Amino acid sequence: MTTSDKDPIHIIIGNKIWGLFGSLKFTLFILFSLAVFSIIGTVIQQNQPPAFYTMEYGKWASLILRLGLEDMYHARWFSTLLVFLIVNIVVCTIDRFPPKWKSTFESKVDVDARFIKNLLNNHTIILNDEPALARERIMNVLRSKRYKIKEANNAGGMSIYAWKGMIGRFGSDVVHVSLLLILAGVIIGSIVGFKDFGAFYEGEVTTIPVSEFQFGIDSSWHGIPLPKIQRYRKASDIQLRLDKFWIDYYETGQTKQYNSILTVSDNGKEVIKGKQIWVNAPLHYKGLTFYQSSYGMAYDKVKQAEFVLKNSKSGKAIAPFFTADWNTPFDIPGTDYRIRIVGFVSDFAFDPATKTIFPKSAEHNNPAINVEIYKAGKLVSRPWLFYNYTDLFAAIPGSDYELVFQRYQGILYTGLSINKDPGTTVVWAGSVLMVVGFFMAFFIFHKKIWINVKRNGNETEVYVGGMINKNKFIFERELSEIAESIKSDISGGVRK
Amino acid sequence: MKVIMSLLFFDMAFWFYLATMILYIGYWIIKKEWLGQASTVLAIISTFAIFMMLIFRTKESGHAPFSNLYESMSFFVWIISIAYLVIEFRYKIKVVGAFVMSIAFIAMLATSMLPYRFQDIQPLNPALQSIWFELHVFSAFIGYAGFGLALGMAVMYLIKARFEESKTSHFLIDRLPPSAILDELSYKSVAWGFVFFTMGALILGAVWANKAWGTYWSWDPKETWSLITWFVYAAYLHARVTRGWRGKKAAYVAIFGFLSTVFLYWGVSFVLPGLHTYASQ
Ligand code: HEM
């Protein structure tokens, strides 16, 4: 689009912007910027709490946080560049596609010898045959090489236009459209999809929560109403039961595979029964996918624990060790004591403000168990016993006894990712289209050949010339071969 | 596990590649026909030796030979050798071999200097047991090889173009193919590389990640560096159709792209943490 001085200012500016977005230099700028921002995102650790950046980067931390470099790929910078890329592609296509379409399909058939001699690749052949015979021969050569052909008669003789691989010209457009499709898939996924994680215990049934969305209006930015997507979670009708979880090992002791057996019910009815999943083999149901993603030992529960009752003075055990099950009263043999395991934390921590005990992490760093001790049916104490510090709080009040927490058997849970992303299909469709576009763009070449046949005295002059959009050297060879076949067929022509 | 045969073939291939490189460079300098033929024969032998290494590796480990750096580097060398031989037969230019075989030998050298534990066979961890993983690496490495070739071509192009412009002559430079051919070969290498890299590193990688972790994209450093590399080569393709950028600037972009590829392949595994750290276990 061109601008003249007489145009009003908004037209001039409009054309300038259009020109910018239609330019390939701008594309290079966007691509390099995307690369640079992405690099920053791999150098600065992403999505850490603000304190982390203060510690790591000192006075730069505030700048990093202000520019959103701590969440690079969701920062304004990054999405702006992606939007620019999309606009760039759209504008470029609108600008360039129509002329390209025209020049691809509309090619001159009737050309003279001078036109051919001006082509980068051209050959001149002198034959002794009649033009009609020469034409026949040319046609055969071109047909055998699968060219499409048009002819025209002209004053001096005739012209032939032959072409193939026209579709290759549009490979880049297919690639560009596919890119838009992939980005559309990503956007659909970010609106409609969700990802969740859950820890599941053997035998337990869990109702799967899903995430829904709703369009709303957000006026928090300068009072301007902007569309907003609100998400909320709700329980679905789908329930999941973990039937079994186990780990396979290699002989060397390395982990071979994590496996879970799952049963899915929908509205109370079992729809998938005992399906085994493992890493790389998830379970699909109604757009939801369940992935084997991790495993671990429960941080708030044990299956059973082993204790010893000791005389605190002599240090001698009253009875051999005994094992109590979770939450099940157990009479210690040979005594009138009874215990019950009522709590467990894998990594003991105490919050003085609320006076509560909680697991600091899911790691089994400092396991502690909460037991109730009864004597003759009466609760005498309710201590937390420590696995790592066995003599801490071990004494039973009003007695010479102490209870030592010696060992425990944890409960394995399986960590499942639960995921729904309808955009994925669109992304795959775009990916396939992109590969198709690549093959069109890179491996199908648009070849054009013009041939002019002219009678000159008792000789026939044949001018052969061609053009290709890329892959020039291989085409040069092909054109020479064509010229050679035209010349060498049956009667001996002379090639100049 | 026993890894005798593959190590043996690797060591053989190492010396073959050294000899191949020397012969091609020799051919470039003294341009004797018999030396050129010997170079080609030795290149074929080297390619075969590294192929045998890969075959035995597969037999010994029971899985495709790209589960660690040692295996995947060997695979890279194999692919780049095949690609080079195809170019040599199609374009009949042997001088290029001096550059490409140098890249192949440097790759062999780097592989041989990897810590010993890489030479041992590692059983596949759960995430790697997938046909998508194998296709992913297979295709991505063809991409790397294409980019490696493009690097060689771009370097030659820059040297040759400089001499052509200043119309100066040097017997070594004169023996390089014309810059127009080097430019085209560089473009073709990037084109092949770009297709396989996109399919392998990005698309199949995403399919695999989606199977294994439930998301096709998670901005892990390796993924991000694939994308960075992809941006750079996309820029190369567009630089070639941009006035003022075709030629020299485009060649620099191709070199830049290969630096990114090397970082993607080695740097990320050793420097940045992420899902793909299997390579540095
Ligand atoms: C990451 C984004 C992009 C990718 C992956 C991409 C991909 C491609 C590919 C593969 C080609 C074919 C190259 C060749 O045949 O050598 C191409 C050509 C082209 N692209 Fe892009 N492109 C992107 C962005 C853009 C943008 C933003 C523009 C807007 C200016 C653009 C304009 C063009 C043009 C004008 C051509 C040459 C057209 C032709 O020869 O048919 N591309 N692109």
Side-chain angles (χ1 to χ4, degrees):
Chain A
M1 255 164 239
T2 51
T3 316
S4 79
D5 294 341
K6 291 191 293 285
D7 284 330
I9 185 79
H10 67 272
I11 299 260
I12 295 177
I13 292 175
N15 281 346
K16 279 246 156 72
I17 292 176
W18 185 269
L20 177 69
F21 278 102
S23 103
L24 272 161
K25 290 216 171 82
F26 193 54
T27 312
L28 296 183
F29 170 77
I30 295 172
L31 289 173
F32 287 130
S33 306
L34 279 170
V36 168
F37 278 113
S38 304
I39 291 173
I40 293 174
T42 64
V43 175
I44 296 178
Q45 283 217 41
Q46 298 287 291
N47 297 308
Q48 302 289 326
F52 171 86
Y53 296 97
T54 320
M55 216 167 69
E56 197 84 346
Y57 301 101
K59 62 181 190 314
W60 296 105
S62 65
L63 188 70
I64 288 174
L65 294 175
R66 183 126 33 88
L67 297 181
L69 305 185
E70 94 290 0
D71 190 11
M72 191 68 246
Y73 311 110
H74 302 101
R76 290 262 158 82
W77 299 102
F78 209 75
S79 18
T80 306
L81 281 172
L82 286 179
V83 171
F84 279 8
L85 188 69
I86 293 172
V87 176
N88 198 191
I89 289 178
V90 171
V91 172
C92 258
T93 307
I94 293 174
D95 267 358
R96 289 163 207 252
F97 191 77
K100 185 161 89 178
W101 181 268
K102 248 174 115 175
S103 74
T104 305
F105 287 101
E106 290 173 10
S107 246
K108 275 196 289 188
V109 177
D110 186 7
V111 297
D112 55 16
R114 217 183 40 227
F115 172 85
I116 292 175
K117 281 182 161 171
N118 276 334
L119 294 172
L120 235 48
N121 285 311
N122 68 81
H123 300 270
T124 305
I125 305 160
I126 310 291
L127 298 173
N128 298 325
D129 313 293
E130 291 292 312
L133 212 66
R135 175 192 167 274
E136 204 52 40
R137 189 147 353 121
I138 292 165
M139 288 297 185
N140 284 340
V141 172
L142 291 175
R143 274 199 208 104
S144 73
K145 291 198 178 275
R146 295 174 188 284
Y147 276 87
K148 295 186 193 63
I149 303 167
K150 272 187 195 167
E151 297 176 71
N153 288 314
N154 53 28
M158 64 163 312
S159 286
I160 296 168
Y161 168 59
W163 76 95
K164 69 179 183 190
M166 214 148 62
I167 197 175
R169 287 255 175 200
F170 301 103
S172 60
D173 302 289
V174 173
V175 173
H176 295 144
V177 169
S178 74
L179 199 69
L180 299 183
L181 198 60
I182 290 173
L183 288 172
V186 173
I187 293 168
I188 293 174
S190 71
I191 295 174
V192 187
F194 71 91
K195 190 169 166 103
D196 221 329
F197 175 84
F200 296 79
Y201 296 101
E202 276 184 10
E204 249 180 40
V205 177
T206 312
T207 300
I208 303 301
V210 291
S211 172
E212 309 256 303
F213 73 98
Q214 190 177 313
F215 288 108
I217 298 287
D218 177 13
S219 305
S220 65
W221 193 67
H222 300 284
I224 298 167
L226 294 167
K228 183 180 139 189
I229 295 153
Q230 276 165 320
R231 305 177 136 280
Y232 56 91
R233 284 159 66 88
K234 65 168 210 194
S236 67
D237 297 330
I238 297 169
Q239 290 185 318
L240 189 73
R241 190 182 73 216
L242 176 68
D243 295 333
K244 192 169 153 61
F245 170 73
W246 76 100
I247 304 172
D248 294 329
Y249 296 96
Y250 290 106
E251 286 160 27
T252 55
Q254 279 142 305
T255 307
K256 186 173 184 184
Q257 197 50 270
Y258 306 108
N259 311 272
S260 297
I261 292 186
L262 305 176
T263 294
V264 180
S265 15
D266 194 347
N267 251 323
K269 223 174 70 202
E270 275 187 10
V271 281
I272 295 177
K273 226 183 132 136
K275 164 111 167 112
Q276 185 182 343
I277 68 163
W278 60 91
V279 179
N280 278 312
L283 175 147
H284 303 277
Y285 181 69
K286 273 199 178 167
L288 291 173
T289 312
F290 299 91
Y291 297 88
Q292 179 69 55
S293 91
S294 67
Y295 77 101
M297 200 75 92
Y299 56 83
D300 59 352
K301 237 189 252 178
V302 290
K303 194 162 178 205
Q304 47 184 218
E306 210 175 279
F307 303 90
V308 174
L309 191 66
K310 271 206 261 194
N311 186 312
S312 48
K313 292 226 174 79
S314 68
K316 276 235 283 286
I318 303 299
F321 73 87
F322 58 89
T323 308
D325 288 338
W326 175 259
N327 204 16
T328 316
F330 182 85
D331 292 319
I332 303 172
T335 71
D336 55 354
Y337 283 108
R338 166 189 285 182
I339 71 164
R340 187 157 75 107
I341 304 170
V342 293
F344 176 81
V345 289
S346 61
D347 194 0
F348 186 87
F350 179 69
D351 180 8
T354 58
K355 297 214 164 41
T356 48
I357 283 159
F358 63 96
K360 198 158 55 185
S361 75
E363 304 294 321
H364 287 228
N365 290 335
N366 185 11
I369 199 161
N370 193 199
V371 291
E372 289 176 345
I373 304 175
Y374 298 86
K375 186 174 162 68
K378 241 181 66 196
L379 182 66
V380 292
S381 102
R382 209 167 187 269
W384 278 91
L385 303 174
F386 291 84
Y387 178 76
N388 295 344
Y389 313 98
T390 43
D391 49 354
L392 211 61
F393 310 120
I396 299 175
S399 78
D400 288 340
Y401 296 132
E402 59 180 45
L403 189 64
V404 177
F405 171 32
Q406 195 165 296
R407 229 179 331 187
Y408 64 97
Q409 192 185 346
I411 301 175
L412 272 186
Y413 68 80
T414 186
L416 301 183
S417 293
I418 303 156
N419 188 4
K420 180 179 167 179
D421 186 352
T424 313
T425 321
V426 181
V427 171
W428 297 151
S431 302
V432 170
L433 193 65
M434 180 173 279
V435 173
V436 170
F438 283 157
F439 275 88
M440 287 164 65
F442 293 135
F443 305 128
I444 299 179
F445 309 110
H446 187 203
K447 300 173 178 172
K448 302 187 204 181
I449 295 176
W450 285 274
I451 297 176
N452 191 302
V453 183
K454 211 159 68 180
R455 191 67 179 167
N456 192 359
N458 47 14
E459 284 179 334
T460 302
E461 289 173 359
V462 180
Y463 302 93
V464 182
M467 237 160 55
I468 188 166
N469 57 339
K470 53 185 76 155
N471 209 25
K472 292 200 175 57
F473 294 95
I474 298 292
F475 182 58
E476 217 168 68
R477 212 177 292 165
E478 181 175 338
L479 209 64
S480 302
E481 275 167 28
I482 290 174
E484 206 63 36
S485 332
I486 293 173
K487 180 184 74 177
S488 64
D489 221 40
I490 320 171
S491 61
V494 193
R495 194 167 142 219
K496 277 189 195 155
Chain B
M1 273 180 250
K2 277 209 295 252
V3 287
I4 297 170
M5 288 306 277
S6 63
L7 295 187
L8 199 69
F9 271 105
F10 182 88
D11 286 346
M12 263 162 66
F14 180 88
W15 297 111
F16 280 137
Y17 272 101
L18 177 62
T20 310
M21 177 181 77
I22 293 172
L23 282 196
Y24 271 105
I25 292 174
Y27 171 75
W28 180 24
I29 295 170
I30 58 177
K31 195 119 192 168
K32 288 273 185 296
E33 203 42 50
W34 62 268
L35 205 51
Q37 275 157 2
S39 309
T40 306
V41 170
L42 212 54
I44 294 171
I45 293 175
S46 305
T47 311
F48 186 70
I50 201 74
F51 175 66
M52 290 309 286
M53 180 270 177
L54 293 167
I55 293 287
F56 275 105
R57 192 77 183 177
T58 308
K59 259 177 87 173
E60 287 158 358
S61 70
H63 55 74
F66 11 82
S67 71
N68 68 19
L69 280 178
Y70 182 76
E71 297 174 356
S72 57
M73 284 293 282
S74 307
F75 182 70
F76 168 81
V77 169
W78 181 54
I79 293 288
I80 201 171
S81 309
I82 289 180
Y84 167 70
L85 286 172
V86 169
I87 291 177
E88 184 179 309
F89 282 104
R90 251 175 97 84
Y91 284 83
K92 315 253 181 304
I93 39 177
K94 275 192 184 169
V95 184
V96 170
F99 285 74
V100 179
M101 285 302 149
S102 299
I103 294 176
F105 178 70
I106 289 168
M108 288 298 282
L109 191 66
T111 312
S112 70
M113 291 190 318
L114 282 170
Y116 180 74
R117 66 200 148 95
F118 284 103
Q119 301 183 9
D120 216 2
I121 284 171
Q122 299 289 323
L124 291 180
N125 75 37
L128 301 191
Q129 296 164 30
S130 163
I131 179 74
W132 295 108
F133 163 72
E134 293 181 354
L135 293 175
H136 159 62
V137 181
F138 183 81
S139 181
F141 269 81
I142 297 178
Y144 289 177
F147 296 159
L149 278 178
L151 169 83
M153 305 297 173
V155 170
M156 279 185 274
Y157 171 85
L158 287 172
I159 298 172
K160 183 76 180 184
R162 185 139 301 154
F163 275 80
E164 279 175 4
E165 257 166 39
S166 61
K167 297 208 167 53
T168 38
S169 169
H170 184 281
F171 77 103
L172 283 180
I173 310 300
D174 295 343
R175 285 173 191 173
L176 292 178
S179 66
I181 289 196
L182 291 168
D183 182 53
E184 183 172 314
L185 284 176
S186 164
Y187 168 71
K188 290 199 87 155
S189 309
V190 170
W192 280 88
F194 197 66
V195 173
F196 281 93
F197 181 79
T198 310
M199 279 201 296
L202 297 172
I203 300 175
L204 290 168
V207 172
W208 173 46
N210 192 50
K211 280 260 176 220
W213 293 286
T215 16
Y216 52 83
W217 194 262
S218 51
W219 293 107
D220 122 294
K222 190 103 180 176
E223 285 173 357
T224 310
W225 271 93
S226 314
L227 192 67
I228 293 163
T229 306
W230 192 71
F231 285 143
V232 176
Y233 282 105
Y236 171 87
L237 292 175
H238 292 85
R240 286 181 49 91
V241 282
T242 309
R243 211 176 315 124
W245 274 79
R246 56 181 67 126
K248 278 207 192 123
K249 276 190 192 164
Y252 282 116
V253 179
I255 293 172
F256 198 60
F258 195 71
L259 294 182
S260 178
T261 310
V262 170
F263 189 79
L264 160 66
Y265 182 22
W266 284 64
V268 176
S269 304
F270 290 115
V271 180
L272 306 167
L275 295 173
H276 288 75
T277 41
Y278 71 84
S280 61
Q281 270 167 11

